[in-house]
Amino acid sequence: KKELIENQSILKMINLISNIKIRDKSGTYIGARMGRPEKAKMRKMNGSPHSLFPVGEEGGRLRSFQSALEIGKIKSDFPNYVCDKCKKNTILPVCETCESLTLPLFFCQTCGLIKDKLCKTHGYTKSYTEQEVDINHFFKLAAKKSNGVIPKLIKGVKSTSNKDHKPENLVKGIIRARHNLYVNKDGTIRYDASELTCTHFKPKEINVEVEKLKELGYDKDYLGKELTSNNQILEIKPQDIILPSCPVSPDERSDDVIFNITKFVDDLLVNFYSMEPFYNIKSKKDLIGHYILGLAPHTSAAMVGRIIGFSQTQGFLAHPYFHAAERRDTDG
C-alpha cells in the first residue's frame, strides 16, 4: 500500500500490481481548440447552373444547353400557356414571339388542356405536363434578346423543383454565364462568408482612401480627431460592412463577384427589361458606398448594409449589431 501511494504515476501504480508490463500508449498530450475555418465564396447548387431552366437528360453530364441544342429537344415537366395573339401554346407566361402576356392552361387527365383551374367534370387538374420542347427555338430567341456574346458553356438544371415547374427565362441564364455568375435555387445570386465582428478599423486595412471615407461620413477618428491619415482608428457605423478579398484564397473574391453582379444587373435591365442601367460601374473601387443585402442561412428577412471597404481576410466584417440583426430577422 505504501509503495502504491508513494508512486505518483498512475501507470507505475498499475504496473506494480500487474503481471503484464503495460506501456504508455503516447508520450505527451497537447490540448488545442480548433475553430471552424473561415470561408468566402459564391453559393452554388449541385452542377453550378447558370439558369433555372431544365435541360433534362438531353443536357448530358454537364447539364449544358450546348448538349441539348445538339439533340434539338428537351423532355421535362413544363407549365402550359397559350398566346391569344399568336394562337399557339408555349411554356412561358410571356410569349417568346410577340411578348404578349399568355394565359395559363391546366391539364385534366381525361379532358386534356383546359382553361379552368378545376375541371367541371373531373375536378382535379395539374398546372404542368411532361413535354418535349424545341430547345433551339427558345434558345435562339433568348440569345438574340440577350444582345451580346453567347458563352461557350451555359448550364441549366436537370429538372425544376417549384410546384408548378415554371422555368426561368433563358435570357437570365445566358447573361449570368456571360458574367461568370451562378444561380441559387431561389433565383438569387449569393455570396457566402463567415461572420466576423468588427467595431473599429483603419483605412489602410480595408484598402480605401481617406477622402472616400470622408464622403461616407467618417470625418473623425475614435478620439474625435479629424481624419487625415490612413493609419487612424475609426469606429465602424452599425450598418457599414467590410467584405472579404483574400488574395491567396482559391475561391472567388467578393469584390470580383459583386463587380460581376453589377454588370449582370445592368445587362439584364437594358436587354431583358428595356430599361436604363443602374450601376454603370467602371472599376471595383466604385463598389464603395453601394448597398448590399445580408442574410443569415435560416432567416427570411435581409439586413441592408453599405460597403465601405475590402479586407484581405476570408470573413465578412461588420458591427456586432449588424450580425445580431441579420440572424434574428430584426424582430426585436
Side-chain angles (χ1 to χ4, degrees):
K1 281 187 177 179
K2 188 180 178 185
E3 277 185 286
L4 286 174
I5 294 164
E6 285 176 352
N7 275 280
Q8 298 297 314
S9 164
I10 298 292
L11 189 62
K12 284 181 182 178
M13 290 168 71
I14 292 169
N15 274 317
L16 281 172
I17 58 171
S18 173
N19 295 325
I20 301 166
K21 177 74 173 175
I22 298 170
R23 295 174 183 269
D24 196 347
K25 67 176 181 180
S26 60
T28 305
Y29 288 92
I30 298 174
R33 178 189 178 277
M34 187 182 77
R36 183 176 183 265
E38 287 76 29
K39 65 165 183 176
K41 60 183 179 181
M42 277 194 76
R43 177 179 281 264
K44 297 175 187 174
M45 293 166 63
N46 287 340
S48 303
H50 301 106
S51 170
L52 295 176
F53 191 105
V55 290
E57 295 294 340
E58 292 81 6
R61 183 177 59 85
L62 294 177
R63 300 174 187 173
S64 74
F65 284 96
Q66 281 72 12
S67 294
L69 287 166
E70 286 178 15
I71 295 170
K73 63 179 176 62
I74 284 172
K75 190 175 183 180
S76 190
D77 288 331
F78 289 98
N80 293 282
Y81 295 93
V82 63
C83 176
D84 260 358
K85 192 174 178 182
C86 297
K87 304 297 179 191
K88 67 172 189 178
N89 288 10
T90 182
I91 59 169
L92 298 173
V94 175
C95 178
E96 71 277 6
T97 307
C98 70
E99 299 192 346
S100 302
L101 286 175
T102 57
L103 298 171
L105 295 174
F106 302 91
F107 180 72
C108 168
Q109 289 279 78
T110 308
C111 305
L113 290 174
I114 59 174
K115 290 186 177 181
D116 297 318
K117 198 168 187 179
L118 280 176
C119 176
K120 290 173 184 174
T121 310
H122 307 100
Y124 175 76
T125 64
K126 283 196 307 182
S127 58
Y128 62 90
T129 53
E130 187 179 68
Q131 302 178 49
E132 268 195 9
V133 168
D134 179 357
I135 187 58
N136 283 290
H137 165 73
F138 287 98
F139 193 88
K140 200 176 289 182
L141 290 168
K144 185 179 178 183
K145 193 169 178 65
S146 74
N147 193 29
V149 175
I150 305 302
K152 289 181 180 176
L153 179 64
I154 305 167
K155 299 168 79 174
V157 290
K158 191 170 183 181
S159 61
T160 45
S161 56
N162 64 80
K163 68 182 178 72
D164 295 321
H165 291 281
K166 290 179 181 177
E168 185 181 47
N169 195 293
L170 250 174
V171 177
K172 294 183 179 181
I174 293 171
I175 295 175
R176 274 196 208 96
R178 186 182 295 163
H179 297 290
N180 198 28
L181 297 168
Y182 303 93
V183 68
N184 199 38
K185 58 189 174 185
D186 55 1
T188 60
I189 300 169
R190 296 196 184 201
Y191 189 87
D192 278 357
S194 299
E195 292 176 332
L196 301 175
T197 55
C198 168
T199 57
H200 296 76
F201 67 94
K202 293 179 181 178
K204 70 175 184 181
E205 293 172 333
I206 65 167
N207 194 29
V208 66
E209 284 127 11
V210 165
E211 290 309 312
K212 185 64 180 176
L213 283 170
K214 282 187 169 182
E215 286 176 27
L216 298 174
Y218 287 93
D219 301 18
K220 302 187 186 308
D221 68 10
Y222 81 113
L223 294 171
K225 294 178 182 175
E226 190 177 343
L227 179 60
T228 55
S229 160
N230 70 355
N231 209 30
Q232 284 172 269
I233 298 172
L234 304 169
E235 186 177 346
I236 195 168
K237 297 180 190 296
Q239 280 181 269
D240 281 350
I241 61 163
I242 300 160
L243 292 175
S245 178
C246 182
V248 295
S249 170
D251 298 308
E252 307 94 341
R253 293 164 28 157
S254 71
D255 50 346
D256 290 332
V257 172
I258 295 172
F259 180 77
N260 289 346
I261 288 172
T262 67
K263 295 295 180 190
F264 163 75
V265 170
D266 283 354
D267 200 342
L268 198 64
L269 285 171
V270 172
N271 294 309
F272 187 69
Y273 293 107
S274 303
M275 295 169 70
E276 292 298 311
F278 177 78
Y279 288 103
N280 295 304
I281 283 176
K282 300 292 185 287
S283 75
K284 286 183 275 188
K285 284 188 175 181
D286 297 336
L287 293 170
I288 305 298
H290 276 287
Y291 298 121
I292 60 95
L293 292 174
L295 191 70
H298 62 281
T299 59
S300 56
M303 280 296 294
V304 177
R306 181 178 67 165
I307 302 169
I308 59 163
F310 295 89
S311 72
Q312 293 190 11
T313 69
Q314 290 200 89
F316 160 39
L317 293 156
H319 195 282
Y321 286 171
F322 187 92
H323 291 309
E326 194 182 38
R327 293 194 154 269
R328 293 290 171 269
D329 266 5
T330 66
D331 62 1

